[in-house]
Structures are given as C-alpha cells and as structure tokens.
C-alpha cells in the first residue's frame, strides 16, 4: 500500500506541475520518477483521484485535479519524488479564533484529515479545499499553542 500512496502523491504532483494531455504522457512522466505501471492501473488511479481533462491557457486539453479552476502550474517544476520529500504545507495565518493554512495544490484535504484525526484539543474542526484549510480554534487558545500542537501533524510548521 505504501507504493500506491507514493505513486498517487507523485501523480498529483505531476498533474499539478505539468501539462499532461494523454495517459501515455502521464505514464512516461511517472516512469521518469521511478513508477512503472500499466495503462489500466493508471486509469484506475486517475479515476480514484477524480482527475478530469480541461483546456489549459494555451487551449490544449490537459489533466487537472478536482477543484483546480485556474491551473496552479509552477514555472520550474521539481521532480515529483523531490516534492514528496517536503510537506505540502506552505503557510499558516490567524485571525481571532480562526486560522487559514495554505498548502500546495491537492494537499489540503489530506492535511486536514490528519489534523481532524489527531484529536488536537485546541482545534474544533477544519474545512478543506484544494490548497486551503480553514481551522476553527477553541476560545482562549493562542496561535503559538495551535502551531505547537500541529507540529506532530505538520513537521516544521513553526519554522515558517
């Protein structure tokens, strides 16, 4: 199962960072990252991730992850395995008893899931989009306390 999770994360990174228009292109990109799989397996993975095809800015139809209305492409993509070595976390900001966590595209729901299942008493709950998590914080809890409690879910959160 660990191989599949790594492959799925690599697939999300590749779709988020490259304009891939066919399954053959996706298979070649995955192979460059060390994942050799059949077209049937790729098709199941794409279906599980709810990947769709949409027109890019240049009119070419490419694979996109759900909830990506504007394609969040990066100009100089790193390899998917290199991106997997870092957390999807980008930043966190607070206002009153609310917080907003920004993530790389496609990471918000999995990070929010981990937060919700970590039984962190300082956090009442989360709502996740594609690259943003809204968190509701218990009354009287400081942002520093929230960051400290999130450290086990999001390593190095206090460094950003």
């Amino acid at each position: 199962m660990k191989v599949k999770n790594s492959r799925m994360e690599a697939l999300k990174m590749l779709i988020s960072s490259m304009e891939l228009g066919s399954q053959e292109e996706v298979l070649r990109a995955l192979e460059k990252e060390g994942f050799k799989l059949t077209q049937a397996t790729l098709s199941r993975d794409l279906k599980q991730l709810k990947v769709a095809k949409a027109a890019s800015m240049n009119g070419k139809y490419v694979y996109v992850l759900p909830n990506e209305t504007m394609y969040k492409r990066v100009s100089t993509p790193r390899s998917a395995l290199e991106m997997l070595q870092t957390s999807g976390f980008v930043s966190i900001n607070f206002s009153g008893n609310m917080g907003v966590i920004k993530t790389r595209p496609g990471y918000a729901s999995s990070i929010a899931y981990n937060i919700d299942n970590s039984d962190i008493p300082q956090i009442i709950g989360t709502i996740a989009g594609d690259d943003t998590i809204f968190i509701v914080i218990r009354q009287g809890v400081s942002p520093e306390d929230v960051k400290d409690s999130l450290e086990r879910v999001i390593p190095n959160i206090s460094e950003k």
Side-chain angles (χ1 to χ4, degrees), residues 6-153:
S6 296
R7 185 180 73 236
M8 297 294 266
E9 291 301 316
L11 183 56
K12 286 195 286 189
M13 287 295 95
L14 290 169
I15 290 170
S16 294
S17 63
M18 301 172 71
E19 290 195 351
L20 301 167
S22 70
Q23 288 193 359
E24 293 80 26
E25 290 176 12
V26 177
L27 284 169
R28 280 195 301 270
L30 281 168
E31 193 166 340
K32 285 181 186 173
E33 299 297 332
F35 297 97
K36 183 108 173 97
L37 58 148
T38 65
Q39 182 275 328
T41 300
L42 174 61
S43 188
R44 284 190 294 273
D45 289 352
L46 292 172
K47 184 176 182 178
Q48 184 177 340
L49 291 173
K50 295 182 174 64
V51 170
K53 268 195 165 179
S56 68
M57 294 300 189
N58 64 12
K60 177 183 171 189
Y61 278 84
V62 296
Y63 288 108
V64 294
L65 293 168
N67 300 323
E68 282 193 270
T69 51
M70 282 310 293
Y71 310 118
K72 302 171 179 97
R73 306 273 180 222
V74 292
S75 55
T76 54
R78 298 178 291 166
S79 76
L81 289 177
E82 183 183 6
M83 288 188 274
L84 288 172
Q85 302 305 312
T86 61
S87 155
F89 171 78
V90 173
S91 67
I92 186 167
N93 289 291
F94 298 93
S95 178
N97 72 325
M98 298 176 289
V100 174
I101 298 173
K102 297 299 279 179
T103 71
R104 292 198 326 249
Y107 275 77
S109 60
S110 62
I111 292 173
Y113 176 85
N114 291 339
I115 292 169
D116 288 339
N117 287 298
S118 293
D119 296 321
I120 298 171
Q122 295 88 339
I123 297 175
I124 296 172
T126 66
I127 300 173
D130 181 55
D131 64 356
T132 306
I133 305 167
F134 174 76
I135 59 174
V136 178
I137 302 159
R138 290 206 185 280
Q139 206 66 23
V141 175
S142 73
E144 292 74 28
D145 288 343
V146 173
K147 281 185 174 182
D148 289 346
S149 63
L150 284 171
E151 185 76 35
R152 65 179 181 206
V153 178

